């Protein structure tokens, strides 16, 4: 099995909807033999519960269960990492883990993970209100316009690449 890291947490206004993560995970799981290590921070445990409820794929719950050092060692074993605009996204980029970054209304020109890693794909839809500094957002238009199919397509770019010869197993 291929190990894929998924960071479901982060600032609410920058967090891709959990139902979108579920659809992307289900689609990837249907296309290849993979399992998903789900990460998040303190207070984000309910996000894993919501994901598990919507998702039948093999999920490993590491939400608020690792130290930063343990988390970095775990993510270093992943063949791919999926994340919204978070610190976790930047750490994965600095570890050169193939990364699909789901970027909402934040400051892309300032926080673009491709400045750190050439193994990152950024999915971004410009919104009228971006960039923004909101913690909460009613519309979440910038993130909702990035569809699960977009993430799956970007993920498969890495997962189907012949240069991805080291496969970590679950």
């Amino acid at each position: 099995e291929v190990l894929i890291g998924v960071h479901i947490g982060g600032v609410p206004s920058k967090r891709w909807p959990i139902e979108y993560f579920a659809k992307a995970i289900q689609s990837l799981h249907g296309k290849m033999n993979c399992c998903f290590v789900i990460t998040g921070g303190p207070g984000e445990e309910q996000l894993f519960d919501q994901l598990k409820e919507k998702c039948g794929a093999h999920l490993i719950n590491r939400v608020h269960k690792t130290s930063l050092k343990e988390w970095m060692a775990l993510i270093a074993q992943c063949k791919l990492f999926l994340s919204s605009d978070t610190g976790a996204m930047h750490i994965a980029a600095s570890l050169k883990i193939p990364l699909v970054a789901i970027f909402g209304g934040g400051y892309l020109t300032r926080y673009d993970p491709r400045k750190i890693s050439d193994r990152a794909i950024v999915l971004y839809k410009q919104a009228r209100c971006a960039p923004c500094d909101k913690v909460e957002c009613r519309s979440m238009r910038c993130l909702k316009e990035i569809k699960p199919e977009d993430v799956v397509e970007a993920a498969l770019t890495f997962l189907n690449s012949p240069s991805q010869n080291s496969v970590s197993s679950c």
Side-chain angles (χ1 to χ4, degrees):
E1 289 187 311
V2 173
L3 182 61
I4 299 174
V6 182
H7 191 79
I8 57 174
V11 175
S13 65
K14 296 180 181 182
R15 191 185 302 152
W16 202 43
I18 205 74
E19 60 272 12
Y20 285 26
F21 272 118
K23 287 178 183 174
I25 287 170
Q26 289 169 323
S27 181
L28 286 169
H29 192 258
K31 293 179 185 307
M32 64 187 345
N33 188 17
C34 54
C35 63
F36 302 85
V37 61
I38 310 300
T39 63
E44 296 174 342
E45 297 85 357
Q46 79 283 357
L47 294 174
F48 178 82
D49 295 339
Q50 292 170 20
L51 183 66
K52 186 176 179 184
E53 203 175 283
K54 296 176 185 316
C55 205
H58 185 73
L59 305 178
I60 302 166
N61 183 4
R62 300 309 300 155
V63 175
H64 194 215
K65 294 184 182 219
T66 58
S67 67
L68 180 59
K69 192 174 185 178
E70 292 167 332
W71 181 86
M72 289 174 68
L74 177 64
I75 296 312
Q77 300 303 309
C78 292
K79 186 169 180 181
L80 175 69
F81 193 71
L82 309 175
S83 179
S84 300
D85 175 17
T86 62
M89 172 192 77
H90 293 289
I91 293 170
S94 69
L95 292 171
K96 307 299 185 208
I97 304 304
L99 168 68
V100 176
I102 306 157
F103 216 95
Y107 295 84
L108 181 61
T109 55
R110 186 174 193 185
Y111 298 114
D112 191 333
R114 295 171 294 192
K115 292 180 179 180
I116 302 169
S117 174
D118 61 356
R119 299 178 82 192
I121 294 173
V122 173
L123 300 176
Y124 175 72
K125 304 284 186 181
Q126 179 69 44
R128 282 184 293 126
C129 52
C132 83
D133 294 312
K134 291 180 180 177
V135 173
E136 300 279 341
C137 177
R138 281 189 228 163
S139 81
M140 300 290 288
R141 182 180 308 118
C142 57
L143 286 166
K144 288 180 179 176
E145 287 185 19
I146 301 168
K147 302 298 181 197
E149 300 80 27
D150 302 329
V151 171
V152 170
E153 182 180 335
L156 291 174
T157 299
F158 286 121
L159 295 171
N160 292 332
S161 170
S163 65
Q164 293 292 327
N165 54 12
S166 64
V167 177
S168 300
S169 48
C170 303

